[in-house]
Amino acid sequence: FVDDNLMDSLEEDKADIIFMDRKPNGDVKWCPIANDEYVAVVSAEKFVGKSKIPKEELYNYPLIYIKERNLDGYFDFSAFRELVPLASIENSTALSMVGKNIGVAVLPEIAVKNHSEDVKILRLSPSVSRTIGFAYRKAALSEEGQSSPPGRR
C-alpha cells in the first residue's frame, strides 16, 4: 500500500522516486512496471487438490486481514465468518497465522513466493490484481530531461 510518508518524502524533495502499488494523486509522474495478482493463502491441510477458489468460498473462514485499499471493492467484508485484523503490515505474519490454521488470507502474489509448506496458494475467481509502479515529481526533471540532485531543484 502507499504510505503517506512516502508521498510526503517525494513532495518534500526527500526522495526522487518511490515505488508504490497504485497511481498517486498530485503533481507526480506515474510509471507502471508490473501487474501483481492477489492470491488466497490457505491451510495446506484443508485445501488438498485445489488450485483455484471462488472468492465467496473464503467467506466461510476467518480472514486474516491486512488493510489493502486494492481489495476494498472486491470483498464484502461483512460476509466473512470473522475478521482478524493485523496491525502489522508484514505479510509473513499473515502467512504464519494461516499456517497455524487461524484463518485464510488474501495477499499479493509477489509477497508469497517463498511460502512455507504448511500453506497453499490458490488463484482467486474472479481474479483481482494491483499495478506496481514508481512515481517521481514531474518537476524533478530539468529541461534537458536530466535528474537534479534532491534539494537543488
Side-chain angles (χ1 to χ4, degrees):
F1 65 92
V2 175
D3 186 278
D4 290 334
N5 291 333
L6 286 176
M7 282 301 298
D8 290 346
S9 293
L10 188 64
E11 291 168 356
E12 296 168 4
D13 276 343
K14 294 178 182 173
D16 288 325
I17 186 171
I18 60 173
F19 289 87
M20 49 203 317
D21 67 357
R22 66 182 167 100
K23 186 176 181 177
N25 297 321
D27 189 30
V28 297
K29 177 78 174 155
W30 166 248
C31 297
I33 56 175
N35 190 50
D36 187 21
E37 193 170 328
Y38 282 89
V39 293
V41 182
V42 298
S43 167
E45 295 174 4
K46 294 181 182 178
F47 293 87
V48 177
K50 287 190 128 188
S51 62
K52 195 172 193 177
I53 190 167
K55 73 175 185 177
E56 293 81 9
E57 190 174 330
L58 294 176
Y59 292 145
N60 297 319
Y61 301 92
L63 177 68
I64 299 165
Y65 181 60
I66 298 173
K67 179 70 173 149
E68 284 279 350
R69 293 178 184 129
N70 298 315
L71 295 175
D72 283 347
Y74 184 74
F75 285 116
D76 173 5
F77 289 100
S78 67
F80 280 96
R81 190 174 89 192
E82 179 183 356
L83 289 177
V84 182
L86 293 181
S88 169
I89 59 170
E90 294 295 323
N91 293 316
S92 59
T93 303
L95 286 167
S96 178
M97 292 174 74
V98 170
K100 301 291 184 202
N101 290 312
I102 294 172
V104 298
V106 175
L107 298 171
E109 185 174 25
I110 198 170
V112 298
K113 292 287 185 188
N114 297 319
H115 61 84
S116 63
E117 293 181 11
D118 54 354
V119 300
K120 185 169 184 164
I121 307 304
L122 303 178
R123 298 272 170 220
L124 287 166
S125 178
S127 65
V128 62
S129 63
R130 66 182 182 166
T131 300
I132 298 173
F134 63 90
Y136 61 91
R137 290 185 42 231
K138 292 177 185 177
L141 295 179
S142 68
E143 290 179 14
E144 296 85 34
Q146 301 295 317
S147 179
S148 301
R152 294 191 188 171
R153 296 186 182 96

